[in-house]
Amino acid sequence: MTARRAGPLTWAALAVASLLTAAPVYWMVVVASRTNAEAADVPPPLLPGGHFAENVRRLFANPDAHFARGLLNSVLVSGCVALGTVLLGSLAGFAFAKLRFRGRDALLLTVVATMMVPVQTGVVPLYLIMLRLHWQDGLQAVTVPFLVTGFGVFLMRQAAREIPDALIEAARVDGCTTLAVYRHVVLPALRPTAGVLGLLTFAQTWNDFLWPLVVLSPDDPTVQLSLNNLATAYYNDYALMFAGASVAVLPPLALFALLGPRIVRNVLSGAVKG
């Protein structure tokens, strides 16, 4: 089958969508590379200036932001949550898809039902649990409760269902235990879905603001709280805040640049084979 060439209307639509997507990022870089006075000029500057390095230096030197600590905390928390979600989600997904045990369907329904509960309704009960465990003001409070999600389990279960039963039975005939089947058969087959889930979880955890604001100390923040600490009630240094936002998006962008093309290639390969 010959691939169809995109027409002028398609290229125009893609160009408009790309410009609308990139415009906020470009404006963030423009303000981050200007002084605060230049950022408030009317009409506003449209090209980047030469103060980005100076603004970044002021950002890391700001005693209220704790930006370096917030950046490190976010890398640790987001990485641990992403790895935990992928590992535990794939184990649970494999069990729900391929193992038979009493109450499996009812338990899966319960897991899926947790996806319908708004996050805000769980803040108070979760905070009381953190108080009981004496985990408030600690990074475990923003890590442990999110190592398993209903969405992660459901997504991995749907992917595990596509693995042929004959492949698993062949591994059992060769003497593999259930854990060995998971390690040598299921986990490699789930790799594309696991990559997508890991990237989405990392980005979601990185951008989370409400729960870290509730449970963490301002002196030991995540990067989103560090950005919030840059705002004051009487004066906002927009150049400093936008410089912080520019630096804060670099780790997720670097992770996507490193893993994104390979994950997209694997997902498309699986779709074509399917």
Side-chain angles (χ1 to χ4, degrees), residues 29-65:
V29 173
V30 169
V31 177
S33 59
R34 297 277 181 170
T35 64
N36 199 41
E38 290 174 342
D41 283 348
V42 179
L46 298 179
L47 296 176
H51 298 275
F52 183 76
E54 178 188 348
N55 290 334
V56 171
R57 182 190 59 76
R58 291 196 300 121
L59 171 70
F60 282 94
N62 190 300
D64 298 325

PDB file of all heavy atoms in Angstrom, residues 29-65:
ATOM      1  N   VAL A  29      10.785  31.654  27.426  1.00  0.00           N
ATOM      2  CA  VAL A  29      12.216  31.879  27.217  1.00  0.00           C
ATOM      3  C   VAL A  29      12.499  33.368  27.023  1.00  0.00           C
ATOM      4  O   VAL A  29      13.497  33.894  27.533  1.00  0.00           O
ATOM      5  CB  VAL A  29      12.702  31.059  26.006  1.00  0.00           C
ATOM      6  CG1 VAL A  29      14.152  31.402  25.669  1.00  0.00           C
ATOM      7  CG2 VAL A  29      12.556  29.566  26.280  1.00  0.00           C
ATOM      8  N   VAL A  30      11.606  34.084  26.307  1.00  0.00           N
ATOM      9  CA  VAL A  30      11.794  35.523  26.085  1.00  0.00           C
ATOM     10  C   VAL A  30      11.813  36.266  27.419  1.00  0.00           C
ATOM     11  O   VAL A  30      12.710  37.069  27.696  1.00  0.00           O
ATOM     12  CB  VAL A  30      10.682  36.078  25.166  1.00  0.00           C
ATOM     13  CG1 VAL A  30      10.714  37.604  25.147  1.00  0.00           C
ATOM     14  CG2 VAL A  30      10.854  35.541  23.752  1.00  0.00           C
ATOM     15  N   VAL A  31      10.821  36.009  28.275  1.00  0.00           N
ATOM     16  CA  VAL A  31      10.753  36.715  29.569  1.00  0.00           C
ATOM     17  C   VAL A  31      11.917  36.297  30.467  1.00  0.00           C
ATOM     18  O   VAL A  31      12.488  37.128  31.187  1.00  0.00           O
ATOM     19  CB  VAL A  31       9.405  36.419  30.252  1.00  0.00           C
ATOM     20  CG1 VAL A  31       9.350  37.074  31.634  1.00  0.00           C
ATOM     21  CG2 VAL A  31       8.252  36.932  29.392  1.00  0.00           C
ATOM     22  N   ALA A  32      12.287  35.002  30.421  1.00  0.00           N
ATOM     23  CA  ALA A  32      13.371  34.511  31.278  1.00  0.00           C
ATOM     24  C   ALA A  32      14.715  35.116  30.917  1.00  0.00           C
ATOM     25  O   ALA A  32      15.622  35.145  31.750  1.00  0.00           O
ATOM     26  CB  ALA A  32      13.450  32.985  31.187  1.00  0.00           C
ATOM     27  N   SER A  33      14.845  35.621  29.690  1.00  0.00           N
ATOM     28  CA  SER A  33      16.129  36.189  29.255  1.00  0.00           C
ATOM     29  C   SER A  33      16.119  37.715  29.275  1.00  0.00           C
ATOM     30  O   SER A  33      16.997  38.349  28.698  1.00  0.00           O
ATOM     31  CB  SER A  33      16.453  35.683  27.843  1.00  0.00           C
ATOM     32  OG  SER A  33      15.427  36.062  26.935  1.00  0.00           O
ATOM     33  N   ARG A  34      15.120  38.306  29.936  1.00  0.00           N
ATOM     34  CA  ARG A  34      15.023  39.761  30.053  1.00  0.00           C
ATOM     35  C   ARG A  34      15.095  40.172  31.521  1.00  0.00           C
ATOM     36  O   ARG A  34      14.947  39.346  32.416  1.00  0.00           O
ATOM     37  CB  ARG A  34      13.689  40.244  29.460  1.00  0.00           C
ATOM     38  CG  ARG A  34      13.531  39.977  27.964  1.00  0.00           C
ATOM     39  CD  ARG A  34      14.204  41.057  27.170  1.00  0.00           C
ATOM     40  NE  ARG A  34      14.054  40.836  25.732  1.00  0.00           N
ATOM     41  CZ  ARG A  34      14.384  41.734  24.818  1.00  0.00           C
ATOM     42  NH1 ARG A  34      14.854  42.917  25.195  1.00  0.00           N
ATOM     43  NH2 ARG A  34      14.261  41.480  23.537  1.00  0.00           N
ATOM     44  N   THR A  35      15.290  41.458  31.746  1.00  0.00           N
ATOM     45  CA  THR A  35      15.152  41.964  33.108  1.00  0.00           C
ATOM     46  C   THR A  35      13.668  42.089  33.426  1.00  0.00           C
ATOM     47  O   THR A  35      12.816  42.086  32.528  1.00  0.00           O
ATOM     48  CB  THR A  35      15.813  43.339  33.250  1.00  0.00           C
ATOM     49  OG1 THR A  35      15.114  44.277  32.410  1.00  0.00           O
ATOM     50  CG2 THR A  35      17.274  43.280  32.827  1.00  0.00           C
ATOM     51  N   ASN A  36      13.346  42.233  34.708  1.00  0.00           N
ATOM     52  CA  ASN A  36      11.933  42.322  35.084  1.00  0.00           C
ATOM     53  C   ASN A  36      11.295  43.584  34.505  1.00  0.00           C
ATOM     54  O   ASN A  36      10.122  43.576  34.129  1.00  0.00           O
ATOM     55  CB  ASN A  36      11.802  42.314  36.608  1.00  0.00           C
ATOM     56  CG  ASN A  36      10.403  41.932  37.043  1.00  0.00           C
ATOM     57  OD1 ASN A  36       9.794  41.031  36.461  1.00  0.00           O
ATOM     58  ND2 ASN A  36       9.884  42.618  38.046  1.00  0.00           N
ATOM     59  N   ALA A  37      12.056  44.672  34.417  1.00  0.00           N
ATOM     60  CA  ALA A  37      11.533  45.919  33.836  1.00  0.00           C
ATOM     61  C   ALA A  37      11.244  45.738  32.346  1.00  0.00           C
ATOM     62  O   ALA A  37      10.209  46.197  31.843  1.00  0.00           O
ATOM     63  CB  ALA A  37      12.533  47.044  34.059  1.00  0.00           C
ATOM     64  N   GLU A  38      12.145  45.039  31.637  1.00  0.00           N
ATOM     65  CA  GLU A  38      11.931  44.817  30.202  1.00  0.00           C
ATOM     66  C   GLU A  38      10.725  43.911  29.968  1.00  0.00           C
ATOM     67  O   GLU A  38       9.992  44.072  28.986  1.00  0.00           O
ATOM     68  CB  GLU A  38      13.182  44.186  29.583  1.00  0.00           C
ATOM     69  CG  GLU A  38      14.378  45.124  29.494  1.00  0.00           C
ATOM     70  CD  GLU A  38      15.622  44.414  29.008  1.00  0.00           C
ATOM     71  OE1 GLU A  38      15.663  43.171  29.056  1.00  0.00           O
ATOM     72  OE2 GLU A  38      16.565  45.112  28.584  1.00  0.00           O
ATOM     73  N   ALA A  39      10.506  42.930  30.882  1.00  0.00           N
ATOM     74  CA  ALA A  39       9.371  42.020  30.722  1.00  0.00           C
ATOM     75  C   ALA A  39       8.046  42.749  30.855  1.00  0.00           C
ATOM     76  O   ALA A  39       7.026  42.287  30.326  1.00  0.00           O
ATOM     77  CB  ALA A  39       9.455  40.900  31.764  1.00  0.00           C
ATOM     78  N   ALA A  40       8.047  43.915  31.568  1.00  0.00           N
ATOM     79  CA  ALA A  40       6.811  44.665  31.769  1.00  0.00           C
ATOM     80  C   ALA A  40       6.614  45.757  30.722  1.00  0.00           C
ATOM     81  O   ALA A  40       5.643  46.521  30.805  1.00  0.00           O
ATOM     82  CB  ALA A  40       6.804  45.285  33.168  1.00  0.00           C
ATOM     83  N   ASP A  41       7.532  45.863  29.747  1.00  0.00           N
ATOM     84  CA  ASP A  41       7.415  46.912  28.724  1.00  0.00           C
ATOM     85  C   ASP A  41       6.158  46.730  27.882  1.00  0.00           C
ATOM     86  O   ASP A  41       5.661  45.622  27.683  1.00  0.00           O
ATOM     87  CB  ASP A  41       8.647  46.876  27.802  1.00  0.00           C
ATOM     88  CG  ASP A  41       9.855  47.494  28.458  1.00  0.00           C
ATOM     89  OD1 ASP A  41       9.701  48.147  29.509  1.00  0.00           O
ATOM     90  OD2 ASP A  41      10.972  47.299  27.929  1.00  0.00           O
ATOM     91  N   VAL A  42       5.618  47.857  27.388  1.00  0.00           N
ATOM     92  CA  VAL A  42       4.494  47.853  26.446  1.00  0.00           C
ATOM     93  C   VAL A  42       4.906  48.643  25.217  1.00  0.00           C
ATOM     94  O   VAL A  42       5.242  49.835  25.334  1.00  0.00           O
ATOM     95  CB  VAL A  42       3.235  48.484  27.071  1.00  0.00           C
ATOM     96  CG1 VAL A  42       2.084  48.480  26.052  1.00  0.00           C
ATOM     97  CG2 VAL A  42       2.826  47.735  28.334  1.00  0.00           C
ATOM     98  N   PRO A  43       4.924  48.041  24.019  1.00  0.00           N
ATOM     99  CA  PRO A  43       4.613  46.636  23.714  1.00  0.00           C
ATOM    100  C   PRO A  43       5.687  45.697  24.260  1.00  0.00           C
ATOM    101  O   PRO A  43       6.838  46.114  24.421  1.00  0.00           O
ATOM    102  CB  PRO A  43       4.571  46.611  22.184  1.00  0.00           C
ATOM    103  CG  PRO A  43       5.490  47.717  21.772  1.00  0.00           C
ATOM    104  CD  PRO A  43       5.319  48.791  22.798  1.00  0.00           C
ATOM    105  N   PRO A  44       5.341  44.456  24.528  1.00  0.00           N
ATOM    106  CA  PRO A  44       6.299  43.516  25.126  1.00  0.00           C
ATOM    107  C   PRO A  44       7.389  43.123  24.135  1.00  0.00           C
ATOM    108  O   PRO A  44       7.175  43.150  22.922  1.00  0.00           O
ATOM    109  CB  PRO A  44       5.424  42.304  25.480  1.00  0.00           C
ATOM    110  CG  PRO A  44       4.275  42.381  24.542  1.00  0.00           C
ATOM    111  CD  PRO A  44       4.022  43.838  24.313  1.00  0.00           C
ATOM    112  N   PRO A  45       8.572  42.778  24.636  1.00  0.00           N
ATOM    113  CA  PRO A  45       9.652  42.309  23.743  1.00  0.00           C
ATOM    114  C   PRO A  45       9.278  40.975  23.108  1.00  0.00           C
ATOM    115  O   PRO A  45       8.643  40.133  23.727  1.00  0.00           O
ATOM    116  CB  PRO A  45      10.842  42.174  24.696  1.00  0.00           C
ATOM    117  CG  PRO A  45      10.237  41.969  26.041  1.00  0.00           C
ATOM    118  CD  PRO A  45       8.956  42.759  26.047  1.00  0.00           C
ATOM    119  N   LEU A  46       9.685  40.823  21.852  1.00  0.00           N
ATOM    120  CA  LEU A  46       9.352  39.595  21.120  1.00  0.00           C
ATOM    121  C   LEU A  46      10.552  38.690  20.890  1.00  0.00           C
ATOM    122  O   LEU A  46      10.384  37.551  20.431  1.00  0.00           O
ATOM    123  CB  LEU A  46       8.724  39.955  19.762  1.00  0.00           C
ATOM    124  CG  LEU A  46       7.408  40.747  19.833  1.00  0.00           C
ATOM    125  CD1 LEU A  46       6.892  41.058  18.424  1.00  0.00           C
ATOM    126  CD2 LEU A  46       6.353  39.969  20.611  1.00  0.00           C
ATOM    127  N   LEU A  47      11.746  39.209  21.185  1.00  0.00           N
ATOM    128  CA  LEU A  47      12.953  38.402  20.973  1.00  0.00           C
ATOM    129  C   LEU A  47      13.655  38.173  22.303  1.00  0.00           C
ATOM    130  O   LEU A  47      13.570  39.000  23.217  1.00  0.00           O
ATOM    131  CB  LEU A  47      13.905  39.118  20.004  1.00  0.00           C
ATOM    132  CG  LEU A  47      13.375  39.323  18.576  1.00  0.00           C
ATOM    133  CD1 LEU A  47      14.372  40.137  17.763  1.00  0.00           C
ATOM    134  CD2 LEU A  47      13.106  37.977  17.915  1.00  0.00           C
ATOM    135  N   PRO A  48      14.366  37.047  22.448  1.00  0.00           N
ATOM    136  CA  PRO A  48      15.104  36.789  23.696  1.00  0.00           C
ATOM    137  C   PRO A  48      16.172  37.843  23.939  1.00  0.00           C
ATOM    138  O   PRO A  48      16.762  38.383  22.999  1.00  0.00           O
ATOM    139  CB  PRO A  48      15.724  35.400  23.450  1.00  0.00           C
ATOM    140  CG  PRO A  48      14.874  34.779  22.379  1.00  0.00           C
ATOM    141  CD  PRO A  48      14.425  35.910  21.510  1.00  0.00           C
ATOM    142  N   GLY A  49      16.423  38.138  25.223  1.00  0.00           N
ATOM    143  CA  GLY A  49      17.454  39.093  25.596  1.00  0.00           C
ATOM    144  C   GLY A  49      18.727  38.388  26.020  1.00  0.00           C
ATOM    145  O   GLY A  49      18.934  37.212  25.703  1.00  0.00           O
ATOM    146  N   GLY A  50      19.542  39.101  26.778  1.00  0.00           N
ATOM    147  CA  GLY A  50      20.839  38.532  27.162  1.00  0.00           C
ATOM    148  C   GLY A  50      21.011  38.361  28.656  1.00  0.00           C
ATOM    149  O   GLY A  50      22.145  38.360  29.150  1.00  0.00           O
ATOM    150  N   HIS A  51      19.915  38.207  29.399  1.00  0.00           N
ATOM    151  CA  HIS A  51      20.025  38.146  30.864  1.00  0.00           C
ATOM    152  C   HIS A  51      19.635  36.769  31.423  1.00  0.00           C
ATOM    153  O   HIS A  51      19.361  36.663  32.614  1.00  0.00           O
ATOM    154  CB  HIS A  51      19.126  39.226  31.498  1.00  0.00           C
ATOM    155  CG  HIS A  51      19.497  40.617  31.123  1.00  0.00           C
ATOM    156  ND1 HIS A  51      20.464  41.343  31.793  1.00  0.00           N
ATOM    157  CD2 HIS A  51      19.054  41.420  30.111  1.00  0.00           C
ATOM    158  CE1 HIS A  51      20.592  42.526  31.239  1.00  0.00           C
ATOM    159  NE2 HIS A  51      19.742  42.611  30.208  1.00  0.00           N
ATOM    160  N   PHE A  52      19.600  35.752  30.574  1.00  0.00           N
ATOM    161  CA  PHE A  52      19.144  34.444  31.066  1.00  0.00           C
ATOM    162  C   PHE A  52      20.111  33.879  32.112  1.00  0.00           C
ATOM    163  O   PHE A  52      19.677  33.401  33.175  1.00  0.00           O
ATOM    164  CB  PHE A  52      19.001  33.463  29.893  1.00  0.00           C
ATOM    165  CG  PHE A  52      18.472  32.127  30.298  1.00  0.00           C
ATOM    166  CD1 PHE A  52      17.123  31.959  30.583  1.00  0.00           C
ATOM    167  CD2 PHE A  52      19.310  31.030  30.421  1.00  0.00           C
ATOM    168  CE1 PHE A  52      16.620  30.733  30.980  1.00  0.00           C
ATOM    169  CE2 PHE A  52      18.821  29.794  30.820  1.00  0.00           C
ATOM    170  CZ  PHE A  52      17.478  29.645  31.093  1.00  0.00           C
ATOM    171  N   ALA A  53      21.402  33.933  31.825  1.00  0.00           N
ATOM    172  CA  ALA A  53      22.389  33.386  32.767  1.00  0.00           C
ATOM    173  C   ALA A  53      22.327  34.129  34.103  1.00  0.00           C
ATOM    174  O   ALA A  53      22.422  33.512  35.181  1.00  0.00           O
ATOM    175  CB  ALA A  53      23.789  33.463  32.170  1.00  0.00           C
ATOM    176  N   GLU A  54      22.177  35.454  34.034  1.00  0.00           N
ATOM    177  CA  GLU A  54      22.087  36.243  35.269  1.00  0.00           C
ATOM    178  C   GLU A  54      20.833  35.868  36.069  1.00  0.00           C
ATOM    179  O   GLU A  54      20.882  35.741  37.302  1.00  0.00           O
ATOM    180  CB  GLU A  54      22.057  37.732  34.911  1.00  0.00           C
ATOM    181  CG  GLU A  54      21.905  38.643  36.123  1.00  0.00           C
ATOM    182  CD  GLU A  54      21.694  40.099  35.710  1.00  0.00           C
ATOM    183  OE1 GLU A  54      21.900  40.398  34.508  1.00  0.00           O
ATOM    184  OE2 GLU A  54      21.309  40.910  36.576  1.00  0.00           O
ATOM    185  N   ASN A  55      19.703  35.684  35.373  1.00  0.00           N
ATOM    186  CA  ASN A  55      18.462  35.309  36.066  1.00  0.00           C
ATOM    187  C   ASN A  55      18.573  33.918  36.697  1.00  0.00           C
ATOM    188  O   ASN A  55      18.055  33.683  37.795  1.00  0.00           O
ATOM    189  CB  ASN A  55      17.287  35.348  35.083  1.00  0.00           C
ATOM    190  CG  ASN A  55      16.930  36.761  34.677  1.00  0.00           C
ATOM    191  OD1 ASN A  55      17.171  37.718  35.419  1.00  0.00           O
ATOM    192  ND2 ASN A  55      16.355  36.914  33.487  1.00  0.00           N
ATOM    193  N   VAL A  56      19.231  32.993  35.994  1.00  0.00           N
ATOM    194  CA  VAL A  56      19.418  31.646  36.560  1.00  0.00           C
ATOM    195  C   VAL A  56      20.317  31.715  37.800  1.00  0.00           C
ATOM    196  O   VAL A  56      20.075  31.030  38.799  1.00  0.00           O
ATOM    197  CB  VAL A  56      20.012  30.704  35.500  1.00  0.00           C
ATOM    198  CG1 VAL A  56      20.423  29.375  36.124  1.00  0.00           C
ATOM    199  CG2 VAL A  56      19.008  30.462  34.381  1.00  0.00           C
ATOM    200  N   ARG A  57      21.356  32.556  37.735  1.00  0.00           N
ATOM    201  CA  ARG A  57      22.235  32.710  38.906  1.00  0.00           C
ATOM    202  C   ARG A  57      21.449  33.276  40.094  1.00  0.00           C
ATOM    203  O   ARG A  57      21.577  32.789  41.223  1.00  0.00           O
ATOM    204  CB  ARG A  57      23.410  33.635  38.557  1.00  0.00           C
ATOM    205  CG  ARG A  57      24.412  33.815  39.688  1.00  0.00           C
ATOM    206  CD  ARG A  57      25.397  34.926  39.355  1.00  0.00           C
ATOM    207  NE  ARG A  57      24.727  36.204  39.135  1.00  0.00           N
ATOM    208  CZ  ARG A  57      24.242  36.964  40.116  1.00  0.00           C
ATOM    209  NH1 ARG A  57      24.353  36.568  41.375  1.00  0.00           N
ATOM    210  NH2 ARG A  57      23.640  38.102  39.830  1.00  0.00           N
ATOM    211  N   ARG A  58      20.600  34.275  39.848  1.00  0.00           N
ATOM    212  CA  ARG A  58      19.779  34.834  40.932  1.00  0.00           C
ATOM    213  C   ARG A  58      18.775  33.793  41.450  1.00  0.00           C
ATOM    214  O   ARG A  58      18.447  33.760  42.622  1.00  0.00           O
ATOM    215  CB  ARG A  58      19.013  36.063  40.426  1.00  0.00           C
ATOM    216  CG  ARG A  58      19.893  37.271  40.134  1.00  0.00           C
ATOM    217  CD  ARG A  58      19.076  38.552  40.013  1.00  0.00           C
ATOM    218  NE  ARG A  58      18.103  38.499  38.949  1.00  0.00           N
ATOM    219  CZ  ARG A  58      16.802  38.648  39.131  1.00  0.00           C
ATOM    220  NH1 ARG A  58      16.322  38.834  40.356  1.00  0.00           N
ATOM    221  NH2 ARG A  58      15.957  38.602  38.097  1.00  0.00           N
ATOM    222  N   LEU A  59      18.316  32.930  40.545  1.00  0.00           N
ATOM    223  CA  LEU A  59      17.351  31.900  40.937  1.00  0.00           C
ATOM    224  C   LEU A  59      17.958  30.937  41.955  1.00  0.00           C
ATOM    225  O   LEU A  59      17.366  30.661  43.005  1.00  0.00           O
ATOM    226  CB  LEU A  59      16.913  31.140  39.682  1.00  0.00           C
ATOM    227  CG  LEU A  59      16.061  29.894  39.887  1.00  0.00           C
ATOM    228  CD1 LEU A  59      14.688  30.288  40.381  1.00  0.00           C
ATOM    229  CD2 LEU A  59      15.971  29.107  38.576  1.00  0.00           C
ATOM    230  N   PHE A  60      19.149  30.434  41.655  1.00  0.00           N
ATOM    231  CA  PHE A  60      19.779  29.476  42.569  1.00  0.00           C
ATOM    232  C   PHE A  60      20.291  30.152  43.837  1.00  0.00           C
ATOM    233  O   PHE A  60      20.508  29.483  44.841  1.00  0.00           O
ATOM    234  CB  PHE A  60      20.927  28.741  41.860  1.00  0.00           C
ATOM    235  CG  PHE A  60      20.459  27.654  40.938  1.00  0.00           C
ATOM    236  CD1 PHE A  60      20.263  27.883  39.585  1.00  0.00           C
ATOM    237  CD2 PHE A  60      20.204  26.382  41.434  1.00  0.00           C
ATOM    238  CE1 PHE A  60      19.822  26.884  38.736  1.00  0.00           C
ATOM    239  CE2 PHE A  60      19.760  25.366  40.597  1.00  0.00           C
ATOM    240  CZ  PHE A  60      19.565  25.608  39.244  1.00  0.00           C
ATOM    241  N   ALA A  61      20.503  31.468  43.790  1.00  0.00           N
ATOM    242  CA  ALA A  61      20.971  32.187  44.973  1.00  0.00           C
ATOM    243  C   ALA A  61      19.826  32.675  45.850  1.00  0.00           C
ATOM    244  O   ALA A  61      20.073  33.157  46.966  1.00  0.00           O
ATOM    245  CB  ALA A  61      21.829  33.386  44.540  1.00  0.00           C
ATOM    246  N   ASN A  62      18.582  32.554  45.373  1.00  0.00           N
ATOM    247  CA  ASN A  62      17.435  33.043  46.152  1.00  0.00           C
ATOM    248  C   ASN A  62      17.254  32.196  47.417  1.00  0.00           C
ATOM    249  O   ASN A  62      17.048  30.974  47.334  1.00  0.00           O
ATOM    250  CB  ASN A  62      16.171  32.974  45.288  1.00  0.00           C
ATOM    251  CG  ASN A  62      15.003  33.683  45.937  1.00  0.00           C
ATOM    252  OD1 ASN A  62      14.583  33.323  47.028  1.00  0.00           O
ATOM    253  ND2 ASN A  62      14.484  34.699  45.276  1.00  0.00           N
ATOM    254  N   PRO A  63      17.339  32.810  48.608  1.00  0.00           N
ATOM    255  CA  PRO A  63      17.271  32.008  49.842  1.00  0.00           C
ATOM    256  C   PRO A  63      15.878  31.457  50.144  1.00  0.00           C
ATOM    257  O   PRO A  63      15.749  30.509  50.933  1.00  0.00           O
ATOM    258  CB  PRO A  63      17.710  33.005  50.923  1.00  0.00           C
ATOM    259  CG  PRO A  63      17.355  34.353  50.359  1.00  0.00           C
ATOM    260  CD  PRO A  63      17.522  34.243  48.877  1.00  0.00           C
ATOM    261  N   ASP A  64      14.829  32.040  49.555  1.00  0.00           N
ATOM    262  CA  ASP A  64      13.465  31.569  49.843  1.00  0.00           C
ATOM    263  C   ASP A  64      13.036  30.403  48.942  1.00  0.00           C
ATOM    264  O   ASP A  64      12.129  29.655  49.295  1.00  0.00           O
ATOM    265  CB  ASP A  64      12.473  32.728  49.652  1.00  0.00           C
ATOM    266  CG  ASP A  64      12.754  33.863  50.617  1.00  0.00           C
ATOM    267  OD1 ASP A  64      13.156  33.575  51.761  1.00  0.00           O
ATOM    268  OD2 ASP A  64      12.576  35.039  50.221  1.00  0.00           O
ATOM    269  N   ALA A  65      13.674  30.284  47.765  1.00  0.00           N
ATOM    270  CA  ALA A  65      13.212  29.290  46.797  1.00  0.00           C
ATOM    271  C   ALA A  65      13.743  27.892  47.078  1.00  0.00           C
ATOM    272  O   ALA A  65      13.057  26.899  46.824  1.00  0.00           O
ATOM    273  CB  ALA A  65      13.612  29.712  45.392  1.00  0.00           C
TER     274      ALA A  65
END
